[in-house]
Amino acid sequence: GLNRMIPFNKPHGFKIEEIKDDYIKTSLPYKRRNFNHIRGLHACALATLSEFTTGFLMVSRLDPKKYRIILKTLEMDYHYQGKMKAYGTFNLTDDWLNDQIYKPLEANEAVVVICEIKIHDEEGNHLTTGKVHWQVKSWSKVRTKA
């Protein structure tokens, strides 16, 4: 189903390893399509995993009929060369949603939230830290329609 919803991501082979109401763990396989020129995990594949992981949990927690989320900025820090399968984990609590999205949207047309995600390899090496900036807006405030 993931590949049908987001066909752009199909070649990467992302998998949802674990999902709960407030938690998601995804993986990026160590395979040729995800390699850079020195057979490490490509920077763009790791960045896309960061976007996918945080976005998937945001969309699953926010009512898609009420709220539009769209990527605004993606910041990545690369710490260690990925030479094996990698995992991204992200948490999103009810308190965070209330403090960062629901309450601010009562007084603002849109909010931008920063979702920090860390990606580690199978041995626990810290590969990346991503800061994914999502703009959240009520569909009633969106000027350009889908």
Side-chain angles (χ1 to χ4, degrees), residues 92-132:
L92 197 60
T93 66
D94 289 335
D95 288 341
W96 187 89
L97 287 168
N98 284 325
D99 294 343
Q100 301 296 316
I101 296 176
Y102 299 133
K103 286 179 186 172
L105 279 177
E106 290 173 7
N108 298 288
E109 187 172 295
V111 295
V112 175
V113 293
I114 301 171
C115 299
E116 185 173 288
I117 179 170
K118 294 180 180 178
I119 297 177
H120 294 82
D121 67 16
E122 291 177 301
E123 292 181 353
N125 297 305
H126 183 189
L127 305 182
T128 68
T129 301
K131 290 185 180 151
V132 187

Side-chain angles (χ1 to χ4, degrees), residues 31-110:
K31 66 177 189 174
R32 189 168 164 249
R33 285 198 168 213
N34 293 328
F35 290 169
N36 60 21
H37 63 290
I38 55 173
R39 291 186 52 90
L41 290 173
H42 197 285
C44 291
L46 290 161
T48 304
L49 183 67
S50 297
E51 176 194 6
F52 170 80
T53 304
T54 59
F56 192 95
L57 195 55
M58 290 276 289
V59 167
S60 71
R61 295 295 309 272
L62 297 172
D63 182 351
K65 292 178 184 169
K66 252 180 139 175
Y67 301 103
R68 184 213 54 191
I69 73 164
I70 191 165
L71 181 66
K72 183 179 184 310
T73 306
L74 179 58
E75 297 176 65
M76 294 298 295
D77 288 315
Y78 297 90
H79 310 293
Y80 195 84
Q81 179 75 24
K83 292 287 190 176
M84 61 189 72
K85 189 175 186 178
Y87 298 92
T89 58
F90 181 62
N91 292 342
L92 197 60
T93 66
D94 289 335
D95 288 341
W96 187 89
L97 287 168
N98 284 325
D99 294 343
Q100 301 296 316
I101 296 176
Y102 299 133
K103 286 179 186 172
L105 279 177
E106 290 173 7
N108 298 288
E109 187 172 295

